[in-house]
Amino acid sequence: MRYPKHLPKGGTIGFLAPSFGCNIEPYRTAFDHALEKWREMGYHTVLGPNCYLGEGIGISSTPENCGREVMEMFLSEKPDCLISCGGGELMCEILPHVDFGKLAQAEPKWFMGYSDNTNLTYLLATLADTASVYGPCASSFGMEPWHEALWDAFGILAGKSGAWMRGTMGKTAAEAHMSAAGGEAGRKGGEPTAASGDCSQSEEPHDAVVRGYGQWEKESLKNPENPLAPYNLTEPLAIRTYVGREPACGEVAFQGRLLGGCLDCLVNLPGTRFDRTREFAERYREDGIIWFLEACELNVFAIRRGLWQLEESGWFEHVKGFLIGRPENGESMMGLDACVAVLEVAGRKNVPVVMDVDLGHLPPMMPLVVGSMADVAVKGNDIRIEMRYV
């Protein structure tokens, strides 16, 4: 597994729109504010040609243009890492225009996104043996203030813990410049102003650790009139852990290589030329696979059908455990709830199944490094995931 170098101090963050662009509110204002915040922290930014477009069907532009943007941004020497502008609907259609063989030979870059971006985070691992981050898209970073999960996600890109990033990079450019220049604030000539403190970062990849966040958002307050709203945290974290189909007692610990994403996207891959999942699982059979899965639009029956499809496609060979995010459309139907829908398939494997973790479309989400070797420990509502870059 190849791990990219970390975003250095004063480095350049690249943005691309392989799915939706930030062309409508509240996403445009949130994205613009996120760019401003990164520049205040001392980073440079470079935008792909589709970031503000909305001329495609379910994505920012045509599949050809989106695929071209992906290749150009990954192969360019300008950005040190890449963040997707947003999720969407038809990113799968850009895949014929992405040369994963060329990406496998190129210097790796961190790419971060989730939802429809599963089409890239997942395939970078299985087709190019390159790690990526399943985490928030760019416009999320426009919120005020940043949630701990955003600091964790950005910390992975920068090679630091979220707590370190929050403590040293959390000042505004004005505050940083005031402390450094004795009262003269502001940026000159559009150049970023570095925050104060020891912001040195090692470019070489090293381990990352994330934990659950305690509360989650059921109803978002973000809208065109309130584009910078923080997460509306009203619901307590309520993890349910099983071994097979039986509730677990005490602490449960397991390890394996992280693989997964949004189930809505993954179910489209079996039977296509882009599906090399069985080969990936066989290549890393000694490590085993921890599947992390979450669903957006799928109802509980579609979740059960999707997991059945992946199981029958041989994807769950060498599985060591499952991390299942809160489903956005997980209401019970005809006596089937989301937990039973998952356990009908995952429970057969007689491995740990951790339900309703902070992952996916009901934020906050723990950022996960796809392809990394993970040690997972769960006890009650406490979950800790250490990701090792081996």
Side-chain angles (χ1 to χ4, degrees), residues 88 91 96 305:
M91 188 174 164
R305 287 192 297 267

Side-chain angles (χ1 to χ4, degrees), residues 220-261:
S220 175
L221 299 179
K222 185 175 180 177
N223 57 48
E225 289 70 41
N226 193 17
L228 309 184
Y231 293 142
N232 180 32
L233 303 174
T234 60
E235 309 301 310
L237 182 65
I239 291 175
R240 293 175 287 177
T241 305
Y242 300 82
V243 176
R245 295 177 180 170
E246 298 299 319
C249 298
E251 182 173 355
V252 173
F254 52 104
Q255 67 176 210
R257 202 163 286 276
L258 286 170
L259 189 64

Side-chain angles (χ1 to χ4, degrees), residues 3-298:
Y3 298 93
K5 292 180 179 179
H6 290 305
L7 172 67
K9 175 186 176 182
T12 299
I13 308 169
F15 301 91
L16 65 168
S19 193
F20 281 157
C22 294
N23 63 302
I24 61 172
E25 296 295 352
Y27 306 106
R28 179 165 187 136
T29 295
F31 180 48
D32 286 342
H33 190 64
L35 294 175
E36 180 181 352
K37 288 174 70 74
W38 274 307
R39 290 165 186 155
E40 289 173 350
M41 291 179 185
Y43 296 101
H44 300 269
T45 59
V46 58
L47 277 61
N50 300 329
C51 288
Y52 289 112
L53 295 186
E55 59 191 29
I57 303 299
I59 51 178
S60 61
S61 187
T62 65
E64 293 84 356
N65 286 342
C66 290
R68 185 180 304 113
E69 182 187 50
V70 167
M71 295 305 298
E72 289 175 352
M73 294 297 282
F74 267 91
L75 299 180
S76 171
E77 295 182 358
K78 293 180 181 179
D80 297 297
C81 68
L82 300 171
I83 303 178
S84 176
C85 284
E89 297 292 343
L90 290 175
M91 188 174 164
C92 58
E93 293 186 353
I94 83 167
L95 296 181
H97 308 287
V98 176
D99 188 338
F100 287 96
K102 187 173 289 187
L103 295 183
Q105 298 300 316
E107 182 75 16
K109 283 187 176 76
W110 284 119
F111 170 80
M112 182 163 69
Y114 82 110
S115 189
D116 207 19
N117 293 280
T118 296
N119 287 287
L120 197 48
T121 58
Y122 186 84
L123 295 180
L124 281 171
T126 58
L127 298 184
D129 255 329
T130 300
S132 62
V133 183
Y134 195 78
C137 294
S139 64
S140 294
F141 290 89
M143 75 170 59
E144 287 289 357
W146 278 11
H147 184 272
E148 181 183 354
L150 299 183
W151 287 111
D152 284 344
F154 191 57
I156 289 177
L157 299 180
K160 294 290 185 180
S161 71
W164 187 95
M165 295 295 292
R166 184 170 61 252
T168 60
M169 303 297 288
K171 291 185 176 182
T172 65
E175 290 172 327
H177 201 70
M178 286 281 286
S179 62
E184 294 182 6
R187 285 184 291 128
K188 298 180 180 180
E191 288 300 310
T193 302
S196 63
D198 177 13
C199 301
S200 59
Q201 293 152 269
S202 168
E203 291 187 1
E204 295 305 317
H206 57 271
D207 300 353
V209 178
V210 293
R211 296 175 174 85
Y213 299 112
Q215 289 182 299
W216 57 278
E217 175 184 88
K218 187 175 184 179
E219 298 290 340
S220 175
L221 299 179
K222 185 175 180 177
N223 57 48
E225 289 70 41
N226 193 17
L228 309 184
Y231 293 142
N232 180 32
L233 303 174
T234 60
E235 309 301 310
L237 182 65
I239 291 175
R240 293 175 287 177
T241 305
Y242 300 82
V243 176
R245 295 177 180 170
E246 298 299 319
C249 298
E251 182 173 355
V252 173
F254 52 104
Q255 67 176 210
R257 202 163 286 276
L258 286 170
L259 189 64
C262 183
L263 187 60
D264 305 50
C265 303
L266 294 174
V267 295
N268 299 316
L269 294 176
T272 71
R273 57 189 162 116
F274 303 103
D275 181 14
R276 297 291 183 269
T277 303
R278 295 182 69 175
E279 292 91 328
F280 181 90
E282 188 64 29
R283 187 158 64 249
Y284 292 106
R285 64 180 301 165
E286 296 302 317
D287 301 330
I289 305 297
I290 295 176
W291 282 94
F292 68 90
L293 299 166
E294 54 99 3
C296 177
E297 297 175 351
L298 303 183

